[in-house]
Amino acid sequence: EIEFVKAYYYLLQARYEQHLTLEINLPKNLYPTLIPPMTLQLLVENAVKHNIISKEQPLLIYISAQDNTKIMVSNSKTTATKAESLQIGLQNIINRYQFFTIEKVSIKNEVRFVVALPVIKNSNKVSAPSRI
C-alpha cells in the first residue's frame, strides 16, 4: 500500500509540483500489518479532489501512526473545490473495514481533515486485506 501511494504521489507531482507534499512517517513494525486494498490511495485522492492546490494554497498530506494501532491520514485544508462530496469514498472505506475488523474508522473534519484507520493484525478471512 505504501509503495502504491508513493507511485501515485509521483504522478501527482507532475501536475502540482512542490505545491503538494506527501509525508509518510510510519514505524517499520506496522509494515506487516494489514488494511483494506487501496485505502491509502483513496484518501490521498480525496484530499487532492476536495482542495484547491496552488502556490498560494499548498496541500500537505501526512500519513503517520498512533499507538501502533491506527494509521492516521491527515491533510491540511485549503479553499474547497466545487467538487461535491457525496462521502461515497469514505463510506466505501468504512464498509470494507467491516469485513475485516470490529474496529471503527474515525473521521474528523476540523482544522485538518483526519482519518484514523485501525491496523488489522490477524485476518482469517478468505479475502485478505493488503499489507501496508
Side-chain angles (χ1 to χ4, degrees):
E1 287 290 312
I2 293 295
E3 292 306 313
F4 188 79
V5 167
K6 287 179 181 178
Y8 182 58
Y9 175 62
Y10 177 80
L11 295 174
L12 290 171
Q13 286 284 260
R15 179 174 181 186
Y16 297 107
E17 300 174 340
Q18 72 275 12
H19 310 308
L20 172 65
T21 303
L22 172 68
E23 293 182 14
I24 300 172
N25 185 14
L26 290 173
K28 297 287 184 205
N29 66 321
L30 281 185
Y31 280 39
T33 60
L34 306 169
I35 61 173
M38 304 295 291
T39 300
L40 297 178
Q41 185 269 338
L42 181 58
L43 291 171
V44 170
E45 184 179 345
N46 277 352
V48 170
K49 177 182 176 185
H50 294 291
N51 289 282
I52 291 176
I53 303 170
S54 67
K55 180 179 180 181
E56 297 77 24
Q57 298 185 78
L59 182 67
L60 170 63
I61 303 169
Y62 188 61
I63 300 174
S64 61
Q66 177 185 356
D67 302 328
N68 290 327
T69 61
K70 295 186 187 312
I71 296 174
M72 310 297 287
V73 180
S74 66
N75 62 269
S76 56
K77 290 168 44 176
T78 67
T79 304
T81 65
K82 297 198 188 271
E84 184 180 348
S85 177
L86 302 174
Q87 304 285 317
I88 293 172
L90 292 173
Q91 190 57 53
N92 184 297
I93 290 170
I94 292 167
N95 292 344
R96 286 190 285 156
Y97 258 91
Q98 291 174 349
F99 286 113
F100 303 111
T101 182
I102 60 170
E103 299 293 322
K104 301 292 184 202
V105 173
S106 167
I107 301 166
K108 292 183 182 172
N109 188 2
E110 297 170 349
V111 174
R112 299 182 57 79
F113 188 83
V114 181
V115 178
L117 305 167
V119 295
I120 303 167
K121 296 193 181 200
N122 293 318
S123 179
N124 297 327
K125 303 280 184 177
V126 174
S127 57
S130 296
R131 294 223 179 268
I132 296 174

